[in-house]
Amino acid sequence: MKLSELIEGQSAVIVRVAGHGGFRKRIMEMGFVRGQQVRSVLNSPLKDPVKYSVMGYDVSLRRAEAAMIEVLPTEEANRLHLETVSTFGCDTSCEQCTIASCARKQAKTMRRNEINVALVGNPNSGKTSLFNALSGSSEHVGNYSGVTVEAKWGRFNYRGYRINITDLPGTYSLAAYTPEEVYVREHLFEKMPDVILNAVVASNLERNLYLTTELIDLNQRTVVALNMYDELEASGAKFDYDQFGAMIGIPIIPTIAKSGYGLEQLLDTIIELFEGRSKVARHVHINYGALLEEEIRRLSEAIRTSEQAPRQFPIRYWAAKLIEGDAQVATILSRCNDYDKWKELAQESAAKVQRRLNNDVETLISDYKYGFIAGALEETLSEGGVDINRRSRRIDRLVANKWLGFPIFILLVWLMFYTTFAIGAYPQGWIESGFGALGEWLWRIMPDGALRDLVVNGIVGGVGSVAVFLPNILILYLFISLMEDSGYMARAAFIMDRLMHRMGLHGKSFIPLIMGFGCNVPAIMATRTIESRTSRLITILVTPFMSCSARLPVYILLAGAFFPNRAATVLIGLYLLGILVAFATARLLRATKFKKDETPFVMELPPYRWPTFRATVRHMWDKCSQYIRKIGTTILLATVVIWFFSYYPRPEVTEISATVEQCAEVSVQQTVEVGDTHSNSYMARIGKFIEPVMRPLGLDWRAAMALVTSIPAKELVVSTMAVLYGGDDSGSLSESIVARSGMTPSSALAFMIFILLFFPCLATLSAVRSESGSRGWMWFTILYNTAVAWLLAWLAYLVF
Ligand code: GDP
Ligand code: MG
């Protein structure tokens, strides 16, 4: 809890002091040190300041200041102490020690030895690699700027400390222009991490260190990971990082995230910083020139008199940012009573600087920052003769070539799909027969009844039909992972950019759309690589129109049955229709809701890097386990529910058992109630309920029911049809569909179009919700897609 929340008379042990360096130093000099006992002497609500007793002195703090100190109430510390005593027995010193000092020790050594670390750095500086290497977690790593759009959190233990590490989105600075920058600064401000870990690309110091200068201004406990140190060495450059660190007052540790080099030293430095033992750490003041400095000083003085100014960052920082016109800082400070006065002062100052120096404050400050870096590097860095980007440039001359780029890209995409489906078909077949055999075996050994039906037709059949896609997904991800980690994905986005822009999308939208043909769920997750919010959202919303592989069996079945001579044409036509609707929707959204794209950003082409085996395998395993989890949860539940609704209530008439050979699905024995007995089940009642809506498309209640069952997973359509239209074992399923479904070629076409376009499966919907961050867009998808599906299916029924 916060010290400010301590009620009068209550005492506690200090756990940590947050805030910028200057503030912490002053507070600690007053005796507010980690492990100290503190008692609230006078704390009446609404009253400021509050009085505390610490180290035998009475000290008064402002409420805002007390809020920056985290404490553990003594009662809780004692309880913790007793718990330890009873669990571990008492150590020798325990007898003599007073409870309070022991509690102090508890606070220091037990679970409160937590260090919160925030990981910041430019895109592609290896933050996620560091995060993974440190925490052992398998967050996805990509050689593709902006893979991390939201923060990832991981924890691990090191030398008796628990370290919580947050992988923040990549940023080039901490201005409030892009959502990432706003997010990162907000995180630093709100969460007040104990240590900031700044990842810097060793082979590209000048640009990377700009962000470091911003961190210097924040005056937090910071350490720089000089990552990709191998590249610096390979280039032949010499960098005296120790001296550089001493100059900027931040310890610098060379690391190679890929191999783990330097990570221990990095962690030790983090602990040193946390415990206040670092010899390097000090606050350095970057000078902004006489005039601006004077203006900042004037405003700082005004802000300092306020009791409300937040203590997270130095006053000087607030002043400089206010003069710069930073919108986020303005919002933060506007909560203070004196804000209007400050704003006026800041505007005066900005105008004055503009008048005198003929330059705006922002440019001025960034000039001085670059000057500061250049000066410090001048003394410590000697460039090597080797250009490590030469190889990348040479590859790019081929791969991003005006004429060759596109064919190479198409070739790779084709290879990806070919391998995914052609090679994947083998293990797919094994899994399929495995589940088939399992189903048959269970059918034989289990006694007749509802349970057997549930297990064989519901669980094994339903789960099996989805599990067969696992190999395809693995292979697809092997390719995507290799393309991302090597840096090719950035080129692919680059090549597709112009075309995609014309569709109202972004170059990076292309990859998710392509992936959508495999499965919409990972495709929607892949949109995280798109920095622009609006482009990302549009891509999320149109991806479901990409016909995923689960819909393919339906087309194969129906196109084969009703258009035996033109099946391939129908199939390609359907895929094209999906793409067309996606693009039309993208343009529609661009023209209406998202007129303005956010600030254009540079599409970075990172140097090619060899993907590591470990990262690739991890990535594949990640996706694989995600998919298995989906099978074990959503799919399993859905199949049971569907089974229930189509099994109950039981008809009075005797049921007839029949084996149904499904065409593209797992073959399982199915209990089929032939004829009118279907109309009894709940599922049929649902089908009949929505039948009037489907009538204009030439579809009856059974087709409507198949559509309903496809909601959990499109894979379930074919099995539903098998139950409905199959019946006796004479002839194939497609024959019996032609004979008994009452569908005509045009209504079959309408049905396929409906399956193609109407709202995607539950897993996709939940991906839309979580990735768009709102339920509203999920509902949009449900309503819009269904409306479009109905309309186009109806048109198709009329025209053909
Ligand atoms: P992020 O955008 O900052 O999260 O960066 P990533 O962790 O995704 O890494 C970007 C690329 O740099 C990936 O291809 C990594 O394999 C590669 N990388 C990360 N650390 C190192 C390193 O120390 N040396 C080299 N040579 N490559 C690295
Ligand atoms: Mg990352």
Side-chain angles (χ1 to χ4, degrees):
M1 72 190 273
K2 292 173 181 167
L3 180 60
S4 55
E5 292 162 359
L6 219 57
I7 45 173
E8 217 166 281
Q10 202 182 5
S11 52
V13 179
I14 295 169
V15 171
R16 75 179 79 225
V17 180
H20 66 87
F23 168 77
R24 264 198 342 270
K25 187 157 170 284
R26 191 167 64 77
I27 286 288
M28 276 146 93
E29 281 164 0
M30 289 160 88
F32 291 89
V33 187
R34 217 158 95 78
Q36 266 306 329
Q37 186 93 16
V38 60
R39 191 163 56 84
S40 168
V41 180
L42 201 74
N43 183 5
S44 42
L46 307 176
K47 261 222 193 106
D48 220 325
V50 197
K51 228 173 179 182
Y52 296 99
S53 159
V54 63
M55 289 184 170
Y57 288 98
D58 278 3
V59 189
S60 73
L61 284 186
R62 288 178 182 145
R63 198 170 286 278
E65 295 174 328
M68 307 291 288
I69 302 173
E70 194 187 323
V71 295
L72 182 67
T74 311
E75 306 93 77
E76 202 185 320
N78 288 348
R79 195 176 46 72
L80 267 177
H81 166 242
L82 291 177
E83 265 173 29
T84 338
V85 169
S86 62
T87 357
F88 301 111
C90 201
D91 60 331
T92 45
S93 63
C94 204
E95 289 292 88
Q96 295 108 40
C97 81
T98 63
I99 293 280
S101 74
C102 208
R104 222 178 292 149
K105 216 164 67 193
Q106 291 304 320
K108 268 184 144 175
T109 55
M110 287 268 307
R111 57 170 213 212
R112 289 296 159 154
N113 251 348
E114 267 187 309
I115 311 180
N116 298 319
V117 178
L119 188 43
V120 301
N122 287 11
N124 253 318
S125 55
K127 293 178 301 301
T128 305
S129 305
L130 278 170
F131 176 87
N132 286 345
L134 290 172
S135 68
S137 146
S138 51
E139 205 32 65
H140 176 53
V141 184
N143 187 3
Y144 186 15
S145 59
V147 166
T148 322
V149 177
E150 50 184 25
K152 292 283 149 24
W153 183 86
R155 73 144 57 121
F156 57 96
N157 294 320
Y158 181 77
R159 293 205 205 284
Y161 289 85
R162 164 161 294 170
I163 299 182
N164 299 318
I165 186 163
T166 313
D167 183 16
L168 291 168
T171 59
Y172 296 108
S173 84
L174 288 185
Y177 285 120
T178 66
E180 284 76 17
E181 289 167 355
V182 171
Y183 187 96
V184 170
R185 199 163 58 182
E186 206 169 80
H187 180 92
L188 299 181
F189 180 75
E190 305 271 332
K191 299 277 156 53
M192 296 187 278
D194 298 309
V195 177
I196 297 175
L197 171 52
N198 178 202
V200 163
V201 178
S203 51
N204 187 352
L205 286 169
E206 200 146 348
R207 196 193 64 191
N208 274 261
L209 286 169
Y210 186 81
L211 178 61
T212 313
T213 63
E214 301 247 18
L215 297 175
I216 290 175
D217 286 347
L218 290 183
N219 190 11
Q220 310 283 312
R221 287 165 284 192
T222 308
V223 55
V224 164
L226 192 63
N227 196 34
M228 309 196 188
Y229 193 66
D230 49 331
E231 288 187 353
L232 180 104
E233 286 190 317
S235 74
K238 290 272 169 298
F239 181 40
D240 187 349
Y241 49 84
D242 279 334
Q243 201 200 335
F244 188 87
M247 280 155 93
I248 66 169
I250 292 177
I252 296 185
I253 312 296
T255 60
I256 304 171
K258 283 209 295 195
S259 71
Y261 171 84
L263 296 187
E264 253 187 47
Q265 208 192 338
L266 188 64
L267 288 173
D268 290 339
T269 310
I270 287 174
I271 292 173
E272 263 175 28
L273 282 167
F274 180 69
E275 296 290 3
R277 289 196 305 254
S278 171
K279 292 188 189 69
V280 182
R282 70 188 165 100
H283 182 47
V284 171
H285 189 122
I286 300 174
N287 197 297
Y288 296 143
L291 178 64
L292 190 51
E293 283 293 336
E294 176 56 29
E295 297 303 315
I296 292 175
R297 199 186 51 75
R298 214 156 54 96
L299 183 54
S300 299
E301 265 163 27
I303 297 178
R304 193 160 289 128
T305 55
S306 160
E307 313 221 320
Q308 294 161 315
R311 298 309 196 267
Q312 280 91 329
F313 301 153
I315 301 284
R316 176 183 144 83
Y317 183 80
W318 297 131
K321 284 290 173 186
L322 214 53
I323 296 177
E324 226 183 286
D326 185 298
Q328 195 187 13
V329 165
T331 320
I332 291 173
L333 293 184
S334 64
R335 293 172 208 141
C336 306
N337 294 337
D338 296 342
Y339 173 68
D340 290 336
K341 205 173 72 199
W342 303 339
K343 198 173 131 199
E344 211 171 291
L345 275 174
Q347 278 165 350
E348 267 171 32
S349 299
K352 194 158 145 195
V353 171
Q354 174 78 40
R355 223 173 29 243
R356 295 255 191 97
L357 303 176
N358 202 13
N359 219 337
D360 62 290
V361 179
E362 225 183 322
T363 320
L364 208 63
I365 289 184
S366 79
D367 282 353
Y368 273 105
K369 281 186 168 155
Y370 273 120
F372 174 83
I373 302 166
L377 286 179
E378 186 65 38
E379 295 178 37
T380 49
L381 178 72
S382 63
E383 301 273 0
V386 190
D387 180 3
I388 55 153
N389 285 332
R390 210 184 59 193
R391 193 185 46 157
S392 287
R393 244 175 268 136
R394 220 184 283 156
I395 301 175
D396 269 344
R397 224 172 289 152
L398 187 73
V399 163
N401 181 289
K402 208 159 106 194
W403 305 108
L404 285 177
F406 205 73
I408 291 178
F409 174 66
I410 298 287
L411 191 77
L412 283 173
V413 170
W414 176 84
L415 187 72
M416 173 166 96
F417 274 95
Y418 177 77
T419 320
T420 303
F421 291 107
I423 312 277
Y426 295 101
Q428 198 173 7
W430 304 331
I431 297 182
E432 208 171 304
S433 30
F435 271 96
L438 179 69
E440 271 166 35
W441 178 70
L442 286 169
W443 189 262
R444 267 201 316 277
I445 62 156
M446 286 179 78
D448 193 12
L451 186 65
R452 178 171 80 168
D453 203 83
L454 168 68
V455 170
V456 176
N457 292 333
I459 296 174
V460 176
V463 168
S465 66
V466 185
V468 291
F469 293 105
L470 198 58
N472 310 65
I473 290 188
L474 265 185
I475 298 174
L476 190 67
Y477 273 99
L478 172 66
F479 272 85
I480 287 169
S481 171
L482 289 179
M483 286 190 350
E484 272 191 352
D485 291 357
S486 64
Y488 182 74
M489 206 65 114
R491 273 75 182 181
F494 191 73
I495 293 166
M496 291 307 294
D497 197 47
R498 282 241 333 253
L499 192 65
M500 286 285 135
H501 264 299
R502 224 169 286 160
M503 313 290 181
L505 294 166
H506 186 270
K508 290 184 180 177
S509 310
F510 187 74
I511 299 301
L513 291 183
I514 283 286
M515 285 168 64
F517 289 129
C519 176
N520 290 174
V521 177
I524 287 172
M525 294 197 297
T527 60
R528 290 187 189 167
T529 52
I530 305 168
E531 284 97 341
S532 147
R533 290 285 133 139
T534 56
S535 294
R536 178 170 176 218
L537 206 55
I538 295 177
T539 313
I540 291 173
L541 295 175
V542 305
T543 298
F545 291 120
M546 297 287 123
S547 185
C548 69
S549 56
R551 299 171 221 186
L552 190 59
V554 187
Y555 310 151
I556 294 177
L557 179 67
L558 290 181
F562 290 97
F563 305 91
N565 303 323
R566 280 175 298 154
T569 321
V570 170
L571 225 112
I572 293 172
L574 284 166
Y575 273 88
L576 285 179
L577 180 67
I579 296 172
L580 223 70
V581 172
F583 286 154
T585 304
R587 297 213 49 164
L588 189 74
L589 286 168
R590 196 44 101 198
T592 53
K593 178 99 176 105
F594 303 108
K595 282 220 180 73
K596 197 168 93 230
D597 203 355
E598 282 114 13
T599 34
F601 56 90
V602 188
M603 207 157 27
E604 231 194 307
L605 294 181
Y608 286 98
R609 296 193 171 103
W610 280 109
T612 60
F613 179 73
R614 208 172 49 173
T616 309
V617 169
R618 244 183 195 167
H619 188 190
M620 283 170 67
W621 167 243
D622 245 21
K623 292 297 159 199
C624 187
S625 60
Q626 252 173 33
Y627 195 71
I628 292 174
R629 227 174 299 141
K630 174 184 156 191
I631 293 174
T633 51
T634 325
I635 304 275
L636 183 65
L637 194 73
T639 48
V640 172
V641 170
I642 291 187
W643 172 85
F644 180 84
F645 279 110
S646 48
Y647 193 78
Y648 287 107
R650 300 303 297 151
E652 311 279 301
V653 290
T654 26
E655 56 184 75
I656 308 154
S657 269
T659 312
V660 177
E661 271 297 320
Q662 294 172 12
C663 90
E665 288 294 313
V666 188
S667 60
V668 221
Q669 291 218 333
Q670 309 251 10
T671 309
V672 179
E673 304 136 39
V674 179
D676 283 340
T677 51
H678 280 307
S679 53
N680 222 16
S681 72
Y682 294 120
M683 194 55 92
R685 289 179 207 175
I686 298 171
K688 285 197 176 135
F689 178 71
I690 50 176
E691 186 179 16
V693 188
M694 305 315 289
R695 267 270 154 244
L697 313 183
L699 302 173
D700 64 3
W701 65 269
R702 287 173 298 182
M705 201 174 126
L707 289 175
V708 173
T709 56
S710 80
I711 292 172
K714 299 254 164 152
E715 285 93 339
L716 299 168
V717 175
V718 174
S719 26
T720 312
M721 290 189 145
V723 176
L724 287 174
Y725 303 134
D728 42 44
D729 18 21
S730 63
S732 69
L733 181 57
S734 51
E735 275 168 23
S736 49
I737 283 182
V738 174
R740 318 153 114 218
S741 69
M743 279 192 195
T744 62
S746 45
S747 66
L749 191 66
F751 185 80
M752 287 189 279
I753 291 177
F754 204 91
I755 286 284
L756 166 73
L757 300 175
F758 101 112
F759 75 81
C761 63
L762 287 181
T764 306
L765 281 180
S766 88
V768 169
R769 197 198 61 211
S770 61
E771 296 298 310
S772 69
S774 97
R775 243 170 239 284
W777 286 119
M778 183 185 77
W779 282 108
F780 171 84
T781 300
I782 294 176
L783 297 176
Y784 176 82
N785 293 27
T786 313
V788 168
W790 193 90
L791 211 67
L792 289 180
W794 178 65
L795 278 176
Y797 184 62
L798 285 188
V799 172
F800 293 101

